[in-house]
Amino acid sequence: MPVSQRSIRPGSPADAPFLSEIYAEASRSAFQGLIPHAPLSLMIAKRTPPWWERLMGHGMRLLVLEVAGRVEGYVTLGPSRYGDSGYAGEIYEIYVRPDHQGLGLGSELFSASRDLLDSTGLAGHMAWALADSAQACGFFVSHGGREFARSRLMYPQRTLERIAFGWPARSGRQRD
């Protein structure tokens, strides 16, 4: 697979079908066995191309990663939804197709998302991961994330814990 032919660019409504596919593939891979089957299936079913188009139409910031001209990953980001945490920006989701994981592509998306947040004045960043997801928690820790909060997600059959990871504002990158 030619991962040398890759680029990161802003997402567009034309990417919606690929975003639906990536979300479904990555969510099944990451959450099967953690999130109960029915809620996971519902989460995946709602992420149709029109759902993504509406999200982008409402101004959601989204970057896509292309490898050899094909969308293989994405990240959504924007202002922190976690109140007065000291982290102005948030990485809402970061997903790479399972068959492209482990190649450094997620790291590239992560770096590009932090740069974009910084450039829009959202210094200091955060992201959430399920506590039981060793892969997601390990990814954020390996990129310097520090746990600063925990919360619970309630499902009819199971309660899951999630962890908020934070990255302080990078010196010299804050917007005046």
Side-chain angles (χ1 to χ4, degrees):
M1 134 181 39
V3 293
S4 60
Q5 299 173 351
R6 59 185 180 263
S7 63
I8 295 174
R9 62 170 174 75
S12 74
D15 298 317
F18 308 110
L19 300 172
S20 291
E21 289 172 12
I22 293 165
Y23 181 79
E25 291 173 21
S27 293
R28 281 188 197 99
S29 175
F31 302 131
Q32 209 151 23
L34 295 177
I35 296 176
H37 177 73
L40 179 58
S41 294
L42 263 160
M43 287 168 44
I44 292 169
K46 84 173 190 175
R47 298 288 188 99
T48 62
W51 186 91
W52 285 104
E53 291 165 3
R54 275 191 308 280
L55 192 71
M56 286 183 261
H58 291 296
M60 170 60 72
R61 289 190 182 255
L62 183 126
L63 296 174
V64 297
L65 175 122
E66 288 186 338
V67 176
R70 183 174 170 200
V71 177
E72 301 293 357
Y74 73 88
V75 61
T76 58
L77 58 146
S80 174
R81 300 171 291 182
Y82 191 69
D84 189 21
S85 65
Y87 301 101
E90 183 174 349
I91 297 167
Y92 306 134
E93 294 182 339
I94 183 167
Y95 288 113
V96 174
R97 287 187 199 269
D99 63 345
H100 280 71
Q101 292 176 5
L103 304 172
L105 302 177
S107 294
E108 289 183 34
L109 274 170
F110 179 78
S111 180
S113 66
R114 291 198 67 204
D115 289 346
L116 180 57
L117 288 168
D118 282 343
S119 75
T120 59
L122 298 173
H125 314 118
M126 63 167 292
W128 290 95
L130 289 180
D132 290 340
S133 177
Q135 183 177 8
C137 291
F139 177 84
F140 290 137
V141 167
S142 74
H143 287 82
R146 302 272 187 234
E147 178 182 334
F148 73 90
R150 287 184 178 240
S151 72
R152 290 193 171 91
L153 295 173
M154 310 292 239
Y155 294 101
Q157 307 90 342
R158 186 170 186 196
T159 298
L160 297 173
E161 190 169 37
R162 65 184 188 151
I163 300 171
F165 292 93
W167 294 265
R170 299 184 281 188
S171 60
R173 296 213 179 193
Q174 288 183 334
R175 202 171 155 198
D176 295 321

